[in-house]
Amino acid sequence: MTASQTAEITGLYRYPIKGLTPEALLRVPLRSGQTLPADRRYAIENGPSGFDPEAPEWKPKIQFLMLARNERLASLDSRFEDATNRLTIRKDGHTVASGDLETAAGRAAIEAYFTENFQPELKGPPKVLSGRDHSFSDVARKVVSIINIESVRAIEAMLGGTAVDPLRFRANLYVKGWPAWSELDLVGQTLAIGQARLKVVKRIVRCPATNVDPVTAKRDLEIPPTLSRHLGHMDCGIYAEVVADGEIGVGDAVAVEEPTLV
C-alpha cells in the first residue's frame, strides 16, 4: 500500500462489556495510550480468574464469558449508559437484567441472570469485573482494532459468495478504500485520522468468535480455517495504539502517514 491510499471510516464501535453487544458511535475522542472510551471496561468472569481490580493485570480471554466459546451471548441485546454505569440486557425484546455495574447490588443483578441462564457453560460463579481504566482486551495492551471491509469481502469470495457480517470481527473501526489484505502490511506504520495518530502494532489472529453470526447467535461459518486454507494464516485486521490525541468519527479519512525524513 502506498502512503497516498486513504481509507474512510464506515463504522465505529465500542464494546463496554466483553462478549456482549457492540455499540455504534458517530464520533469519539481518542487519548494517547488508551482504548476507545469504555471499550472492554467490564468482563464477566467465568470461574475464579485471580483478577484484582485494585491491581488490574491482563488475563487471557478464556477466563471470561466470550463468543469464542459462549455463542449464546450474541442472542442478548445489551446497552451500557455511561452517566449511570447501568447495563441493561434484553432478550427477545424483553428486559431480563439491569444494574449499575459500579454497585454491588447492580453487579449481583447481572450475575444472577448469567447464573440462572448460562449453565452448564459456567466454570464457577459468574462475576462482573470492573476494569476502571483497565481494558479486558484479547491482547495485553490498550489498542484500537481496525477491520478493512475489502478483506471481509475477500473472505466472502473464499466462502463461495456467502455473506459475512463485518460485525463478526468485533472491531472498533471499520474502513473502506484499502485493497483487500493490504492493512496487514501496515504494522509499524502510523495512521492519521484528523489530529489523532495511531501506530499499527500487530495483526489480529482470528479465533472461533468470528464463526458466530452476531444476529442469529448461530455458529454457522468456519472463518479461521478458511483463512488458513487460502492464505496460510488466520489474520484479518490490525491493532493500533493511539499515540496522539484527537477526535475521530464515521466518514473521516484514514491516511498512512509519510515517514519523517531526517
Side-chain angles (χ1 to χ4, degrees):
M1 185 191 301
T2 65
S4 62
Q5 289 181 286
T6 61
E8 177 187 330
I9 299 175
T10 61
L12 186 57
Y13 293 85
R14 70 173 188 173
Y15 305 79
I17 295 81
K18 187 177 185 68
L20 295 187
T21 308
E23 296 185 0
L25 305 166
L26 290 177
R27 298 198 67 78
V28 67
L30 293 182
R31 291 194 298 118
S32 182
Q34 300 299 317
T35 65
L36 267 67
D39 189 56
R40 275 85 172 186
R41 177 177 167 185
Y42 300 94
I44 301 168
E45 183 182 65
N46 187 7
S49 69
F51 180 81
D52 181 359
E54 298 303 321
E57 294 183 352
W58 181 83
K59 299 288 182 182
K61 61 185 175 183
I62 58 172
Q63 302 284 356
F64 313 112
L65 288 176
M66 57 171 180
L67 285 173
R69 292 187 177 179
N70 315 110
E71 64 266 24
R72 289 196 294 136
L73 293 172
S75 69
L76 305 177
D77 177 22
S78 65
R79 289 293 180 270
F80 178 73
E81 300 172 6
D82 293 278
T84 62
N85 299 310
R86 178 168 294 277
L87 174 67
T88 300
I89 300 176
R90 296 170 63 85
K91 182 172 175 58
D92 300 327
H94 302 284
T95 298
V96 294
S98 184
D100 178 345
L101 298 188
E102 292 301 322
T103 68
R107 292 191 294 272
I110 301 300
E111 292 161 358
Y113 174 78
F114 285 99
T115 298
E116 182 177 353
N117 293 279
F118 273 72
Q119 301 289 352
E121 297 161 74
L122 299 176
K123 301 175 183 177
K127 182 180 180 181
V128 175
L129 300 178
S130 172
R132 299 180 184 174
D133 288 332
H134 178 75
S135 172
F136 291 98
S137 171
D138 285 353
V139 294
R141 57 206 305 176
K142 292 184 177 180
V143 291
V144 173
S145 58
I146 303 171
I147 282 287
N148 177 6
I149 292 296
E150 285 304 312
S151 297
V152 178
R153 300 294 169 246
I155 294 173
E156 291 178 335
M158 294 175 187
L159 294 168
T162 299
V164 175
D165 188 334
L167 288 180
R168 286 177 183 262
F169 298 90
R170 297 180 68 79
N172 297 126
L173 276 65
Y174 292 89
V175 302
K176 68 176 183 180
W178 289 336
W181 310 118
S182 60
E183 72 280 6
L184 299 181
D185 297 324
L186 292 176
V187 175
Q189 299 196 56
T190 299
L191 305 178
I193 312 174
Q195 296 299 311
R197 296 293 183 272
L198 296 87
K199 184 175 182 180
V200 181
V201 295
K202 188 175 177 19
R203 291 158 57 149
I204 303 175
V205 181
R206 304 322 312 197
C207 74
T210 56
N211 296 336
V212 179
D213 188 305
V215 176
T216 67
K218 293 181 179 179
R219 196 178 293 274
D220 58 357
L221 294 178
E222 294 188 344
I223 288 179
T226 298
L227 291 170
S228 182
R229 284 195 303 272
H230 286 263
L231 302 178
H233 59 72
M234 296 188 295
D235 302 346
C236 181
I238 49 178
Y239 287 125
E241 291 181 336
V242 181
V243 294
D245 298 359
E247 186 176 273
I248 66 172
V250 173
D252 285 359
V254 182
V256 181
E257 195 167 67
E258 294 274 9
T260 301
L261 299 177
V262 293

